[in-house]
Amino acid sequence: MSEQEPRPPAAPQEPWTRRYGFVLFYWLIFVGILGGMAAINELYRPLVEVYFAEWTASVTGSAMQLLGWGGSVNGIRIVNGYCNFRIIDECTAYYPIAIYLAAVMAFPCPWRNKLLGVLIGIPTVIAFNVLRLVSLCYIYKTYPTVFDTIHTLFMQALMIFITIVIWIVWVSFFGQPKRA
Amino acid sequence: MFSPRTARQFILLFIPLFAVMAFLYFWIIPVYEPVVLDAASWVQSKMDPPTAVGTDKWGRWKAFLTSGGYRRSLDVTWAVSVKHLHYLSIILLPSLVLATPIPWRKRFKLLAISLPLIFVAHVVAITGIVRMYYCLTIDPGDKLCMIGARICNTSGQLFGAALWALLTFRYWVGGRSGDA
C-alpha cells in the first residue's frame, strides 16, 4: 500500500468583505452615477428633452443629407423621403452615455486614463447613436412591418452592447487597474 | 487586465448569443410575463392602497386600484414598446454573461445567479412604475415620484448593464480570466 502524501494545508479563505467588498464599492459608484444621470434628466428636463434632442436631430439630419436623403430638421423633428421622426430623450445617446460614464468613472484606474476614456468614448457612443437613428430611418422606409420590433428591442439592446464594447476596449487599452 | 484579444472574443461571442436570445425572447415573454405581473400585483397588494397590474387586450400594461375587494382602473396604460424596453434585460443579460471571457463553468454559475435577479428586478421595476404613477396621479408635481418613475421606466435598459457589471466586475478588475 503506497503511502499517501500529506495534503498541503488549505489556503486561508479570504474574508467575504475582502473578496466582494471592493466590487460592491465600485458597483455602488457605478449605480450612483447612473441614478444621478437619471435624476439630472428628470430635474432639468430641457437639458435632454430639448437641447440634446435638438442637437441629436440636427446631427442625424445632417448625416441623412450627406447620404442624399434630403429633407429638413425642425427642432426635434426630422422629415425626409425615408422617415418622419421625432427625437425624444430616449432616442438620444444620453442613457448609453450614462452607462459608459458610470462604468469608466467606477473603474479603478488613474484619473488621466478615465479622462481619456471620457474624451474618446463619449463622442464614439454619440456617433454610434447617430448611425442607429440613420439605420432606423432606412428600416422605417424599407421594412415598415418590423420597424417597431427593431426599434424597441434590437436597436436598444445593440446600443447598450456597443456602449459596453466601447468600455471594454477602453479597459483593454487604458484601464490599468489599481488593484492587481 | 484583459487584452484586446479577450475583448475581441467577447464581442464575437456576444453576437450569436444575442441573436439566439432575441429569437427565444418571443417564446419566453408569453410564459414569463403573466408570472412577473402576478408577482408584481401580489407585492402591490401588500401596499397601501393596494394596486395591481395586468394587460389589456392589446397587451399593454394597465394599472388598477384594488381596495375594498373591487378593481378600479387607474388612468394609466403603458405602450407595448415600454413593456419590451422593460424586458430588454432578458435578451441582454444572459448574452452578456455567457460572452464574458471567464471559464464556462463560471459563466453558467453567473447565469444561474442572474436569472432570478432579472425576475426580481422586473417585479420591482413594474411595482415601482405602478406606484410612482399612482403617486403622480395624487400629486402630479412630486419630484421624487417623477425621478422614481424615470428610473423605473429606464430600468430595463440600465438594469441589464448594471447587473452584468455587478456580476462580472470582479473579473474585469481582477484582470485574471477565471482566477479570483
Side-chain angles (χ1 to χ4, degrees), chain A residues 19 26-27 42 45 89 95 152-154 156-157 160-161 168 172 175, chain B residues 1-2 10-11 14 18 22 25 81 85 88 150 157 162 166 169-170:
Chain A
R19 285 186 79 183
Y26 291 119
W27 189 71
E42 192 56 56
R45 297 300 290 258
D89 56 344
Y95 284 106
T152 52
L153 266 183
F154 300 112
Q156 292 295 338
I160 293 169
F161 169 65
I168 285 173
S172 307
Chain B
M1 192 174 72
F2 277 87
F10 171 78
I11 296 164
F14 176 87
F18 176 79
Y25 176 82
S81 59
L85 280 178
L88 202 63
R150 168 75 60 184
Q157 293 172 71
L166 176 67
F169 201 65
R170 194 157 164 253

PDB file of all heavy atoms in Angstrom, chain A residues 19 26-27 42 45 89 95 152-154 156-157 160-161 168 172 175, chain B residues 1-2 10-11 14 18 22 25 81 85 88 150 157 162 166 169-170:
ATOM      1  N   ARG A  19     -13.163  39.836  -0.440  1.00  0.00           N
ATOM      2  CA  ARG A  19     -13.400  39.244  -1.766  1.00  0.00           C
ATOM      3  C   ARG A  19     -14.396  40.063  -2.577  1.00  0.00           C
ATOM      4  O   ARG A  19     -14.230  40.258  -3.768  1.00  0.00           O
ATOM      5  CB  ARG A  19     -13.954  37.822  -1.622  1.00  0.00           C
ATOM      6  CG  ARG A  19     -12.908  36.817  -1.204  1.00  0.00           C
ATOM      7  CD  ARG A  19     -13.485  35.437  -1.216  1.00  0.00           C
ATOM      8  NE  ARG A  19     -13.549  34.898  -2.565  1.00  0.00           N
ATOM      9  CZ  ARG A  19     -14.077  33.716  -2.868  1.00  0.00           C
ATOM     10  NH1 ARG A  19     -14.618  32.977  -1.932  1.00  0.00           N
ATOM     11  NH2 ARG A  19     -14.077  33.272  -4.089  1.00  0.00           N
ATOM     12  N   TYR A  26     -17.252  49.683  -5.913  1.00  0.00           N
ATOM     13  CA  TYR A  26     -17.202  50.277  -7.247  1.00  0.00           C
ATOM     14  C   TYR A  26     -18.558  50.200  -7.935  1.00  0.00           C
ATOM     15  O   TYR A  26     -18.922  51.081  -8.705  1.00  0.00           O
ATOM     16  CB  TYR A  26     -16.129  49.597  -8.106  1.00  0.00           C
ATOM     17  CG  TYR A  26     -14.738  49.916  -7.616  1.00  0.00           C
ATOM     18  CD1 TYR A  26     -13.876  48.922  -7.175  1.00  0.00           C
ATOM     19  CD2 TYR A  26     -14.293  51.238  -7.565  1.00  0.00           C
ATOM     20  CE1 TYR A  26     -12.613  49.226  -6.699  1.00  0.00           C
ATOM     21  CE2 TYR A  26     -13.029  51.541  -7.096  1.00  0.00           C
ATOM     22  CZ  TYR A  26     -12.195  50.536  -6.664  1.00  0.00           C
ATOM     23  OH  TYR A  26     -10.958  50.843  -6.198  1.00  0.00           O
ATOM     24  N   TRP A  27     -19.309  49.127  -7.643  1.00  0.00           N
ATOM     25  CA  TRP A  27     -20.623  48.993  -8.251  1.00  0.00           C
ATOM     26  C   TRP A  27     -21.565  50.086  -7.732  1.00  0.00           C
ATOM     27  O   TRP A  27     -22.386  50.616  -8.474  1.00  0.00           O
ATOM     28  CB  TRP A  27     -21.199  47.607  -7.958  1.00  0.00           C
ATOM     29  CG  TRP A  27     -22.445  47.342  -8.739  1.00  0.00           C
ATOM     30  CD1 TRP A  27     -22.542  47.119 -10.080  1.00  0.00           C
ATOM     31  CD2 TRP A  27     -23.780  47.303  -8.246  1.00  0.00           C
ATOM     32  NE1 TRP A  27     -23.852  46.936 -10.445  1.00  0.00           N
ATOM     33  CE2 TRP A  27     -24.642  47.040  -9.337  1.00  0.00           C
ATOM     34  CE3 TRP A  27     -24.344  47.460  -6.976  1.00  0.00           C
ATOM     35  CZ2 TRP A  27     -26.012  46.931  -9.195  1.00  0.00           C
ATOM     36  CZ3 TRP A  27     -25.716  47.350  -6.849  1.00  0.00           C
ATOM     37  CH2 TRP A  27     -26.538  47.091  -7.944  1.00  0.00           C
ATOM     38  N   GLU A  42     -34.428  64.209 -15.042  1.00  0.00           N
ATOM     39  CA  GLU A  42     -35.777  64.496 -14.553  1.00  0.00           C
ATOM     40  C   GLU A  42     -35.868  65.901 -13.958  1.00  0.00           C
ATOM     41  O   GLU A  42     -36.847  66.608 -14.161  1.00  0.00           O
ATOM     42  CB  GLU A  42     -36.155  63.453 -13.494  1.00  0.00           C
ATOM     43  CG  GLU A  42     -37.599  63.458 -13.103  1.00  0.00           C
ATOM     44  CD  GLU A  42     -38.528  63.277 -14.290  1.00  0.00           C
ATOM     45  OE1 GLU A  42     -38.378  62.282 -15.000  1.00  0.00           O
ATOM     46  OE2 GLU A  42     -39.397  64.147 -14.503  1.00  0.00           O
ATOM     47  N   ARG A  45     -35.377  68.940 -17.159  1.00  0.00           N
ATOM     48  CA  ARG A  45     -35.889  68.287 -18.364  1.00  0.00           C
ATOM     49  C   ARG A  45     -35.364  68.873 -19.679  1.00  0.00           C
ATOM     50  O   ARG A  45     -35.057  68.118 -20.598  1.00  0.00           O
ATOM     51  CB  ARG A  45     -37.428  68.310 -18.375  1.00  0.00           C
ATOM     52  CG  ARG A  45     -38.096  67.559 -17.245  1.00  0.00           C
ATOM     53  CD  ARG A  45     -37.733  66.103 -17.221  1.00  0.00           C
ATOM     54  NE  ARG A  45     -38.316  65.366 -18.319  1.00  0.00           N
ATOM     55  CZ  ARG A  45     -39.393  64.586 -18.221  1.00  0.00           C
ATOM     56  NH1 ARG A  45     -39.997  64.450 -17.076  1.00  0.00           N
ATOM     57  NH2 ARG A  45     -39.850  63.931 -19.252  1.00  0.00           N
ATOM     58  N   ASP A  89     -36.142  62.078 -25.691  1.00  0.00           N
ATOM     59  CA  ASP A  89     -34.913  61.915 -24.877  1.00  0.00           C
ATOM     60  C   ASP A  89     -34.339  60.495 -24.950  1.00  0.00           C
ATOM     61  O   ASP A  89     -33.130  60.306 -24.917  1.00  0.00           O
ATOM     62  CB  ASP A  89     -35.138  62.352 -23.422  1.00  0.00           C
ATOM     63  CG  ASP A  89     -36.274  61.636 -22.732  1.00  0.00           C
ATOM     64  OD1 ASP A  89     -37.090  61.009 -23.444  1.00  0.00           O
ATOM     65  OD2 ASP A  89     -36.363  61.689 -21.496  1.00  0.00           O
ATOM     66  N   TYR A  95     -28.675  58.023 -22.248  1.00  0.00           N
ATOM     67  CA  TYR A  95     -28.564  56.867 -21.345  1.00  0.00           C
ATOM     68  C   TYR A  95     -27.367  55.969 -21.659  1.00  0.00           C
ATOM     69  O   TYR A  95     -26.677  55.534 -20.737  1.00  0.00           O
ATOM     70  CB  TYR A  95     -29.884  56.094 -21.271  1.00  0.00           C
ATOM     71  CG  TYR A  95     -30.861  56.849 -20.404  1.00  0.00           C
ATOM     72  CD1 TYR A  95     -31.935  57.531 -20.946  1.00  0.00           C
ATOM     73  CD2 TYR A  95     -30.673  56.947 -19.027  1.00  0.00           C
ATOM     74  CE1 TYR A  95     -32.795  58.270 -20.156  1.00  0.00           C
ATOM     75  CE2 TYR A  95     -31.525  57.691 -18.234  1.00  0.00           C
ATOM     76  CZ  TYR A  95     -32.583  58.345 -18.790  1.00  0.00           C
ATOM     77  OH  TYR A  95     -33.420  59.083 -18.003  1.00  0.00           O
ATOM     78  N   THR A 152     -37.592  49.064 -30.761  1.00  0.00           N
ATOM     79  CA  THR A 152     -37.654  48.965 -29.300  1.00  0.00           C
ATOM     80  C   THR A 152     -36.786  47.853 -28.725  1.00  0.00           C
ATOM     81  O   THR A 152     -36.331  47.959 -27.601  1.00  0.00           O
ATOM     82  CB  THR A 152     -39.101  48.764 -28.809  1.00  0.00           C
ATOM     83  OG1 THR A 152     -39.664  47.688 -29.518  1.00  0.00           O
ATOM     84  CG2 THR A 152     -39.931  49.996 -28.976  1.00  0.00           C
ATOM     85  N   LEU A 153     -36.601  46.795 -29.483  1.00  0.00           N
ATOM     86  CA  LEU A 153     -35.849  45.674 -28.901  1.00  0.00           C
ATOM     87  C   LEU A 153     -34.395  45.640 -29.338  1.00  0.00           C
ATOM     88  O   LEU A 153     -33.491  45.845 -28.541  1.00  0.00           O
ATOM     89  CB  LEU A 153     -36.511  44.364 -29.290  1.00  0.00           C
ATOM     90  CG  LEU A 153     -37.517  43.790 -28.306  1.00  0.00           C
ATOM     91  CD1 LEU A 153     -38.006  42.465 -28.812  1.00  0.00           C
ATOM     92  CD2 LEU A 153     -36.910  43.610 -26.933  1.00  0.00           C
ATOM     93  N   PHE A 154     -34.208  45.417 -30.643  1.00  0.00           N
ATOM     94  CA  PHE A 154     -32.847  45.129 -31.110  1.00  0.00           C
ATOM     95  C   PHE A 154     -31.936  46.346 -31.039  1.00  0.00           C
ATOM     96  O   PHE A 154     -30.804  46.250 -30.574  1.00  0.00           O
ATOM     97  CB  PHE A 154     -32.887  44.554 -32.528  1.00  0.00           C
ATOM     98  CG  PHE A 154     -33.666  43.291 -32.598  1.00  0.00           C
ATOM     99  CD1 PHE A 154     -34.860  43.227 -33.271  1.00  0.00           C
ATOM    100  CD2 PHE A 154     -33.226  42.156 -31.937  1.00  0.00           C
ATOM    101  CE1 PHE A 154     -35.604  42.066 -33.303  1.00  0.00           C
ATOM    102  CE2 PHE A 154     -33.965  40.985 -31.967  1.00  0.00           C
ATOM    103  CZ  PHE A 154     -35.155  40.939 -32.651  1.00  0.00           C
ATOM    104  N   GLN A 156     -32.141  49.069 -29.214  1.00  0.00           N
ATOM    105  CA  GLN A 156     -31.833  49.496 -27.836  1.00  0.00           C
ATOM    106  C   GLN A 156     -30.782  48.583 -27.231  1.00  0.00           C
ATOM    107  O   GLN A 156     -29.802  49.040 -26.637  1.00  0.00           O
ATOM    108  CB  GLN A 156     -33.099  49.468 -26.961  1.00  0.00           C
ATOM    109  CG  GLN A 156     -34.134  50.495 -27.330  1.00  0.00           C
ATOM    110  CD  GLN A 156     -33.666  51.916 -27.108  1.00  0.00           C
ATOM    111  OE1 GLN A 156     -32.770  52.160 -26.330  1.00  0.00           O
ATOM    112  NE2 GLN A 156     -34.255  52.852 -27.805  1.00  0.00           N
ATOM    113  N   ALA A 157     -31.014  47.266 -27.383  1.00  0.00           N
ATOM    114  CA  ALA A 157     -30.073  46.299 -26.825  1.00  0.00           C
ATOM    115  C   ALA A 157     -28.711  46.431 -27.504  1.00  0.00           C
ATOM    116  O   ALA A 157     -27.665  46.398 -26.832  1.00  0.00           O
ATOM    117  CB  ALA A 157     -30.610  44.886 -27.009  1.00  0.00           C
ATOM    118  N   ILE A 160     -26.785  49.396 -26.161  1.00  0.00           N
ATOM    119  CA  ILE A 160     -26.183  49.134 -24.844  1.00  0.00           C
ATOM    120  C   ILE A 160     -24.955  48.248 -25.024  1.00  0.00           C
ATOM    121  O   ILE A 160     -23.910  48.475 -24.402  1.00  0.00           O
ATOM    122  CB  ILE A 160     -27.224  48.505 -23.889  1.00  0.00           C
ATOM    123  CG1 ILE A 160     -28.318  49.535 -23.593  1.00  0.00           C
ATOM    124  CG2 ILE A 160     -26.565  48.067 -22.570  1.00  0.00           C
ATOM    125  CD1 ILE A 160     -29.527  48.999 -22.904  1.00  0.00           C
ATOM    126  N   PHE A 161     -25.081  47.264 -25.909  1.00  0.00           N
ATOM    127  CA  PHE A 161     -23.941  46.380 -26.166  1.00  0.00           C
ATOM    128  C   PHE A 161     -22.765  47.175 -26.731  1.00  0.00           C
ATOM    129  O   PHE A 161     -21.624  47.009 -26.297  1.00  0.00           O
ATOM    130  CB  PHE A 161     -24.353  45.265 -27.129  1.00  0.00           C
ATOM    131  CG  PHE A 161     -23.197  44.470 -27.644  1.00  0.00           C
ATOM    132  CD1 PHE A 161     -22.440  43.703 -26.779  1.00  0.00           C
ATOM    133  CD2 PHE A 161     -22.834  44.514 -28.974  1.00  0.00           C
ATOM    134  CE1 PHE A 161     -21.349  42.973 -27.244  1.00  0.00           C
ATOM    135  CE2 PHE A 161     -21.754  43.795 -29.447  1.00  0.00           C
ATOM    136  CZ  PHE A 161     -21.007  43.017 -28.585  1.00  0.00           C
ATOM    137  N   ILE A 168     -15.212  48.149 -22.825  1.00  0.00           N
ATOM    138  CA  ILE A 168     -14.266  47.025 -22.760  1.00  0.00           C
ATOM    139  C   ILE A 168     -12.992  47.343 -23.557  1.00  0.00           C
ATOM    140  O   ILE A 168     -11.881  47.036 -23.108  1.00  0.00           O
ATOM    141  CB  ILE A 168     -14.936  45.721 -23.257  1.00  0.00           C
ATOM    142  CG1 ILE A 168     -15.889  45.225 -22.174  1.00  0.00           C
ATOM    143  CG2 ILE A 168     -13.908  44.638 -23.566  1.00  0.00           C
ATOM    144  CD1 ILE A 168     -16.728  44.052 -22.581  1.00  0.00           C
ATOM    145  N   SER A 172      -9.376  47.421 -21.989  1.00  0.00           N
ATOM    146  CA  SER A 172      -8.284  46.626 -22.564  1.00  0.00           C
ATOM    147  C   SER A 172      -7.035  47.465 -22.817  1.00  0.00           C
ATOM    148  O   SER A 172      -5.922  46.993 -22.652  1.00  0.00           O
ATOM    149  CB  SER A 172      -8.711  46.001 -23.882  1.00  0.00           C
ATOM    150  OG  SER A 172      -9.891  45.309 -23.723  1.00  0.00           O
ATOM    151  N   GLY A 175      -7.418  50.838 -19.150  1.00  0.00           N
ATOM    152  CA  GLY A 175      -7.892  50.631 -17.780  1.00  0.00           C
ATOM    153  C   GLY A 175      -6.939  49.793 -16.951  1.00  0.00           C
ATOM    154  O   GLY A 175      -7.229  48.643 -16.657  1.00  0.00           O
TER     155      GLY A 175
ATOM    156  N   MET B   1      -5.339  42.533 -16.322  1.00  0.00           N
ATOM    157  CA  MET B   1      -6.081  43.347 -17.271  1.00  0.00           C
ATOM    158  C   MET B   1      -6.416  42.528 -18.523  1.00  0.00           C
ATOM    159  O   MET B   1      -5.610  41.761 -18.990  1.00  0.00           O
ATOM    160  CB  MET B   1      -5.239  44.563 -17.659  1.00  0.00           C
ATOM    161  CG  MET B   1      -6.001  45.608 -18.409  1.00  0.00           C
ATOM    162  SD  MET B   1      -5.017  47.077 -18.684  1.00  0.00           S
ATOM    163  CE  MET B   1      -3.855  46.526 -19.913  1.00  0.00           C
ATOM    164  N   PHE B   2      -7.595  42.714 -19.050  1.00  0.00           N
ATOM    165  CA  PHE B   2      -7.989  41.984 -20.240  1.00  0.00           C
ATOM    166  C   PHE B   2      -7.302  42.557 -21.476  1.00  0.00           C
ATOM    167  O   PHE B   2      -7.140  43.749 -21.608  1.00  0.00           O
ATOM    168  CB  PHE B   2      -9.499  42.023 -20.397  1.00  0.00           C
ATOM    169  CG  PHE B   2     -10.155  40.978 -19.573  1.00  0.00           C
ATOM    170  CD1 PHE B   2     -10.485  41.228 -18.261  1.00  0.00           C
ATOM    171  CD2 PHE B   2     -10.393  39.726 -20.092  1.00  0.00           C
ATOM    172  CE1 PHE B   2     -11.067  40.245 -17.494  1.00  0.00           C
ATOM    173  CE2 PHE B   2     -10.981  38.748 -19.327  1.00  0.00           C
ATOM    174  CZ  PHE B   2     -11.315  39.008 -18.018  1.00  0.00           C
ATOM    175  N   PHE B  10     -14.972  38.401 -26.657  1.00  0.00           N
ATOM    176  CA  PHE B  10     -16.236  38.780 -26.023  1.00  0.00           C
ATOM    177  C   PHE B  10     -17.228  39.274 -27.081  1.00  0.00           C
ATOM    178  O   PHE B  10     -18.383  38.831 -27.118  1.00  0.00           O
ATOM    179  CB  PHE B  10     -15.970  39.863 -24.976  1.00  0.00           C
ATOM    180  CG  PHE B  10     -17.207  40.495 -24.408  1.00  0.00           C
ATOM    181  CD1 PHE B  10     -17.956  39.845 -23.438  1.00  0.00           C
ATOM    182  CD2 PHE B  10     -17.634  41.751 -24.832  1.00  0.00           C
ATOM    183  CE1 PHE B  10     -19.102  40.425 -22.914  1.00  0.00           C
ATOM    184  CE2 PHE B  10     -18.772  42.333 -24.313  1.00  0.00           C
ATOM    185  CZ  PHE B  10     -19.502  41.674 -23.360  1.00  0.00           C
ATOM    186  N   ILE B  11     -16.758  40.155 -27.940  1.00  0.00           N
ATOM    187  CA  ILE B  11     -17.628  40.734 -28.968  1.00  0.00           C
ATOM    188  C   ILE B  11     -18.123  39.649 -29.928  1.00  0.00           C
ATOM    189  O   ILE B  11     -19.310  39.559 -30.221  1.00  0.00           O
ATOM    190  CB  ILE B  11     -16.881  41.839 -29.750  1.00  0.00           C
ATOM    191  CG1 ILE B  11     -16.526  42.993 -28.811  1.00  0.00           C
ATOM    192  CG2 ILE B  11     -17.702  42.351 -30.924  1.00  0.00           C
ATOM    193  CD1 ILE B  11     -15.480  43.942 -29.333  1.00  0.00           C
ATOM    194  N   PHE B  14     -20.653  37.422 -28.242  1.00  0.00           N
ATOM    195  CA  PHE B  14     -21.907  38.079 -27.873  1.00  0.00           C
ATOM    196  C   PHE B  14     -22.895  38.062 -29.035  1.00  0.00           C
ATOM    197  O   PHE B  14     -24.087  37.825 -28.826  1.00  0.00           O
ATOM    198  CB  PHE B  14     -21.647  39.529 -27.429  1.00  0.00           C
ATOM    199  CG  PHE B  14     -22.913  40.284 -27.125  1.00  0.00           C
ATOM    200  CD1 PHE B  14     -23.481  40.230 -25.857  1.00  0.00           C
ATOM    201  CD2 PHE B  14     -23.578  41.014 -28.107  1.00  0.00           C
ATOM    202  CE1 PHE B  14     -24.660  40.899 -25.578  1.00  0.00           C
ATOM    203  CE2 PHE B  14     -24.752  41.686 -27.831  1.00  0.00           C
ATOM    204  CZ  PHE B  14     -25.298  41.631 -26.558  1.00  0.00           C
ATOM    205  N   PHE B  18     -26.612  36.861 -28.646  1.00  0.00           N
ATOM    206  CA  PHE B  18     -27.658  37.883 -28.696  1.00  0.00           C
ATOM    207  C   PHE B  18     -28.743  37.461 -29.691  1.00  0.00           C
ATOM    208  O   PHE B  18     -29.939  37.575 -29.399  1.00  0.00           O
ATOM    209  CB  PHE B  18     -27.031  39.220 -29.103  1.00  0.00           C
ATOM    210  CG  PHE B  18     -28.018  40.333 -29.275  1.00  0.00           C
ATOM    211  CD1 PHE B  18     -28.528  41.008 -28.170  1.00  0.00           C
ATOM    212  CD2 PHE B  18     -28.455  40.719 -30.532  1.00  0.00           C
ATOM    213  CE1 PHE B  18     -29.444  42.032 -28.323  1.00  0.00           C
ATOM    214  CE2 PHE B  18     -29.372  41.747 -30.696  1.00  0.00           C
ATOM    215  CZ  PHE B  18     -29.871  42.409 -29.585  1.00  0.00           C
ATOM    216  N   ALA B  22     -32.536  36.789 -28.671  1.00  0.00           N
ATOM    217  CA  ALA B  22     -33.580  37.604 -29.309  1.00  0.00           C
ATOM    218  C   ALA B  22     -34.639  36.704 -29.948  1.00  0.00           C
ATOM    219  O   ALA B  22     -35.832  37.005 -29.915  1.00  0.00           O
ATOM    220  CB  ALA B  22     -32.956  38.518 -30.357  1.00  0.00           C
ATOM    221  N   TYR B  25     -36.696  35.160 -27.124  1.00  0.00           N
ATOM    222  CA  TYR B  25     -37.466  36.175 -26.401  1.00  0.00           C
ATOM    223  C   TYR B  25     -38.970  36.077 -26.673  1.00  0.00           C
ATOM    224  O   TYR B  25     -39.780  36.116 -25.761  1.00  0.00           O
ATOM    225  CB  TYR B  25     -36.929  37.558 -26.801  1.00  0.00           C
ATOM    226  CG  TYR B  25     -37.676  38.726 -26.208  1.00  0.00           C
ATOM    227  CD1 TYR B  25     -37.400  39.166 -24.922  1.00  0.00           C
ATOM    228  CD2 TYR B  25     -38.671  39.390 -26.932  1.00  0.00           C
ATOM    229  CE1 TYR B  25     -38.081  40.246 -24.371  1.00  0.00           C
ATOM    230  CE2 TYR B  25     -39.356  40.462 -26.392  1.00  0.00           C
ATOM    231  CZ  TYR B  25     -39.054  40.881 -25.117  1.00  0.00           C
ATOM    232  OH  TYR B  25     -39.745  41.940 -24.585  1.00  0.00           O
ATOM    233  N   SER B  81     -44.373  49.003 -26.485  1.00  0.00           N
ATOM    234  CA  SER B  81     -42.930  49.248 -26.619  1.00  0.00           C
ATOM    235  C   SER B  81     -42.282  49.455 -25.247  1.00  0.00           C
ATOM    236  O   SER B  81     -41.148  49.040 -25.030  1.00  0.00           O
ATOM    237  CB  SER B  81     -42.679  50.452 -27.516  1.00  0.00           C
ATOM    238  OG  SER B  81     -43.298  51.592 -26.980  1.00  0.00           O
ATOM    239  N   LEU B  85     -39.187  47.353 -23.607  1.00  0.00           N
ATOM    240  CA  LEU B  85     -37.989  48.002 -23.065  1.00  0.00           C
ATOM    241  C   LEU B  85     -37.694  47.495 -21.660  1.00  0.00           C
ATOM    242  O   LEU B  85     -36.540  47.355 -21.273  1.00  0.00           O
ATOM    243  CB  LEU B  85     -38.160  49.521 -23.033  1.00  0.00           C
ATOM    244  CG  LEU B  85     -37.933  50.254 -24.346  1.00  0.00           C
ATOM    245  CD1 LEU B  85     -38.193  51.741 -24.193  1.00  0.00           C
ATOM    246  CD2 LEU B  85     -36.515  50.044 -24.862  1.00  0.00           C
ATOM    247  N   LEU B  88     -36.055  44.055 -21.768  1.00  0.00           N
ATOM    248  CA  LEU B  88     -34.842  44.016 -22.594  1.00  0.00           C
ATOM    249  C   LEU B  88     -33.727  43.190 -21.953  1.00  0.00           C
ATOM    250  O   LEU B  88     -32.963  42.511 -22.643  1.00  0.00           O
ATOM    251  CB  LEU B  88     -34.360  45.454 -22.792  1.00  0.00           C
ATOM    252  CG  LEU B  88     -33.466  45.740 -23.973  1.00  0.00           C
ATOM    253  CD1 LEU B  88     -34.198  45.474 -25.272  1.00  0.00           C
ATOM    254  CD2 LEU B  88     -33.016  47.200 -23.945  1.00  0.00           C
ATOM    255  N   ARG B 150     -39.008  57.842 -13.684  1.00  0.00           N
ATOM    256  CA  ARG B 150     -37.981  57.886 -14.737  1.00  0.00           C
ATOM    257  C   ARG B 150     -37.016  56.703 -14.594  1.00  0.00           C
ATOM    258  O   ARG B 150     -36.685  56.035 -15.570  1.00  0.00           O
ATOM    259  CB  ARG B 150     -37.233  59.229 -14.638  1.00  0.00           C
ATOM    260  CG  ARG B 150     -35.967  59.327 -15.448  1.00  0.00           C
ATOM    261  CD  ARG B 150     -36.223  59.506 -16.909  1.00  0.00           C
ATOM    262  NE  ARG B 150     -36.979  60.708 -17.186  1.00  0.00           N
ATOM    263  CZ  ARG B 150     -37.394  61.049 -18.413  1.00  0.00           C
ATOM    264  NH1 ARG B 150     -37.123  60.266 -19.423  1.00  0.00           N
ATOM    265  NH2 ARG B 150     -38.079  62.144 -18.611  1.00  0.00           N
ATOM    266  N   GLN B 157     -33.382  49.177 -19.644  1.00  0.00           N
ATOM    267  CA  GLN B 157     -32.162  49.427 -20.409  1.00  0.00           C
ATOM    268  C   GLN B 157     -30.936  49.442 -19.501  1.00  0.00           C
ATOM    269  O   GLN B 157     -29.891  48.905 -19.853  1.00  0.00           O
ATOM    270  CB  GLN B 157     -32.267  50.776 -21.108  1.00  0.00           C
ATOM    271  CG  GLN B 157     -33.324  50.812 -22.181  1.00  0.00           C
ATOM    272  CD  GLN B 157     -33.505  52.223 -22.705  1.00  0.00           C
ATOM    273  OE1 GLN B 157     -32.658  52.750 -23.387  1.00  0.00           O
ATOM    274  NE2 GLN B 157     -34.626  52.832 -22.384  1.00  0.00           N
ATOM    275  N   ALA B 162     -26.192  47.166 -15.549  1.00  0.00           N
ATOM    276  CA  ALA B 162     -25.781  47.322 -14.141  1.00  0.00           C
ATOM    277  C   ALA B 162     -25.584  45.961 -13.476  1.00  0.00           C
ATOM    278  O   ALA B 162     -24.609  45.757 -12.742  1.00  0.00           O
ATOM    279  CB  ALA B 162     -26.823  48.140 -13.385  1.00  0.00           C
ATOM    280  N   LEU B 166     -22.188  44.225 -12.000  1.00  0.00           N
ATOM    281  CA  LEU B 166     -22.067  43.702 -10.629  1.00  0.00           C
ATOM    282  C   LEU B 166     -21.528  42.268 -10.637  1.00  0.00           C
ATOM    283  O   LEU B 166     -20.652  41.917  -9.846  1.00  0.00           O
ATOM    284  CB  LEU B 166     -23.427  43.746  -9.926  1.00  0.00           C
ATOM    285  CG  LEU B 166     -23.466  43.149  -8.517  1.00  0.00           C
ATOM    286  CD1 LEU B 166     -22.644  44.001  -7.553  1.00  0.00           C
ATOM    287  CD2 LEU B 166     -24.884  43.043  -8.000  1.00  0.00           C
ATOM    288  N   PHE B 169     -17.773  42.381 -12.692  1.00  0.00           N
ATOM    289  CA  PHE B 169     -16.796  43.451 -12.453  1.00  0.00           C
ATOM    290  C   PHE B 169     -15.513  42.904 -11.825  1.00  0.00           C
ATOM    291  O   PHE B 169     -14.413  43.334 -12.150  1.00  0.00           O
ATOM    292  CB  PHE B 169     -17.426  44.516 -11.554  1.00  0.00           C
ATOM    293  CG  PHE B 169     -16.750  45.858 -11.625  1.00  0.00           C
ATOM    294  CD1 PHE B 169     -16.767  46.595 -12.799  1.00  0.00           C
ATOM    295  CD2 PHE B 169     -16.105  46.402 -10.530  1.00  0.00           C
ATOM    296  CE1 PHE B 169     -16.160  47.839 -12.879  1.00  0.00           C
ATOM    297  CE2 PHE B 169     -15.486  47.644 -10.594  1.00  0.00           C
ATOM    298  CZ  PHE B 169     -15.526  48.360 -11.779  1.00  0.00           C
ATOM    299  N   ARG B 170     -15.709  41.937 -10.941  1.00  0.00           N
ATOM    300  CA  ARG B 170     -14.575  41.344 -10.229  1.00  0.00           C
ATOM    301  C   ARG B 170     -13.555  40.748 -11.209  1.00  0.00           C
ATOM    302  O   ARG B 170     -12.352  40.844 -11.002  1.00  0.00           O
ATOM    303  CB  ARG B 170     -15.138  40.245  -9.333  1.00  0.00           C
ATOM    304  CG  ARG B 170     -14.199  39.752  -8.305  1.00  0.00           C
ATOM    305  CD  ARG B 170     -14.996  39.128  -7.182  1.00  0.00           C
ATOM    306  NE  ARG B 170     -14.102  38.327  -6.372  1.00  0.00           N
ATOM    307  CZ  ARG B 170     -14.096  37.013  -6.379  1.00  0.00           C
ATOM    308  NH1 ARG B 170     -14.940  36.358  -7.140  1.00  0.00           N
ATOM    309  NH2 ARG B 170     -13.260  36.365  -5.619  1.00  0.00           N
TER     310      ARG B 170
END
